[in-house]
Amino acid sequence: MFEFAGSPVPVPEDVRGTFESYWDHLASPGATLTGAERIAVARASRGEPNDGAHPALIGLAEQLGTNPGTVFEAEVRAAADIVGDPQTVETIAVVSLLSCVDGVHDALGAEREALPDARPGEPTGEVAEGYKRRRTHVPMPQGAIPVAMDLIPAEGAERIAMSAPTYMPDDDMVHPDWEKPGGLNRSQMEVIAARTSWHNDCFY
């Protein structure tokens, strides 16, 4: 698993380990979606037609995964009005975190990892309460951009776990001179992040 076939450079072990852990999470039942529905959403985000989840979620996942610059509040609200905010946020989280995994593979010219088989079981129902839309597309707590997934705590935790090896630990974001050992410094990372956001028409 995660051999990164075709990559011209070795991939750090912490990145491999985090991706392997996420694969287990992706295949398991989430807060509002079954494992099968989560894999269906993941397939849709890769542009693979399927009917394994609600059509509103499949459509949103496909658009987010294949053409994110065309997704605005209207598209997110249309899905949420049909299935509710929690399922919509979980779908966004699946697509967002999978895009990190796939994006690393694509940038390296490596073959994408085959999606895992879904695990049986019912959704956990673990959804945060009391969150509101704060000039945002979905309910979220007060804070910076990274809390957008926190309506579904398990997805917020996965985002934190994946950010550390692929970007930087959350606690280090307050340090402008932070530098990843053996990697880019903070300024270099932010230039790449800003340009990526610009290319994706990130509304933030």
Side-chain angles (χ1 to χ4, degrees), residues 160-175:
I160 292 173
M162 193 174 292
S163 291
T166 60
Y167 182 39
M168 73 178 75
D170 276 16
D171 291 344
D172 288 317
M173 287 188 176
V174 298
H175 303 301

Side-chain angles (χ1 to χ4, degrees), residues 66-88:
T66 63
N67 201 359
T70 65
V71 178
F72 297 93
E73 183 174 11
E75 287 73 26
V76 177
R77 294 305 326 141
D81 286 345
I82 295 171
V83 299
D85 286 315
Q87 288 195 28
T88 301

Side-chain angles (χ1 to χ4, degrees), residues 67-121:
N67 201 359
T70 65
V71 178
F72 297 93
E73 183 174 11
E75 287 73 26
V76 177
R77 294 305 326 141
D81 286 345
I82 295 171
V83 299
D85 286 315
Q87 288 195 28
T88 301
V89 171
E90 186 166 346
T91 295
I92 292 170
V94 167
V95 176
S96 177
L97 295 173
L98 178 61
S99 73
C100 178
V101 178
D102 285 350
V104 170
H105 284 75
D106 294 347
L108 293 171
E111 182 179 345
R112 286 184 175 183
E113 188 74 20
L115 293 171
D117 293 331
R119 295 186 174 182

Side-chain angles (χ1 to χ4, degrees), residues 41 44-49 57-67 95:
V41 163
S45 76
R46 287 182 167 182
E48 302 173 10
L57 300 181
I58 292 295
L60 178 61
E62 182 177 5
Q63 191 173 359
L64 280 169
T66 63
N67 201 359
V95 176

Side-chain angles (χ1 to χ4, degrees), residues 32-42 50 52-54 57-58 87 118 123:
T32 66
L33 303 176
T34 64
E37 289 171 328
R38 288 167 62 82
I39 295 301
V41 163
N50 66 86
H54 194 287
L57 300 181
I58 292 295
Q87 288 195 28

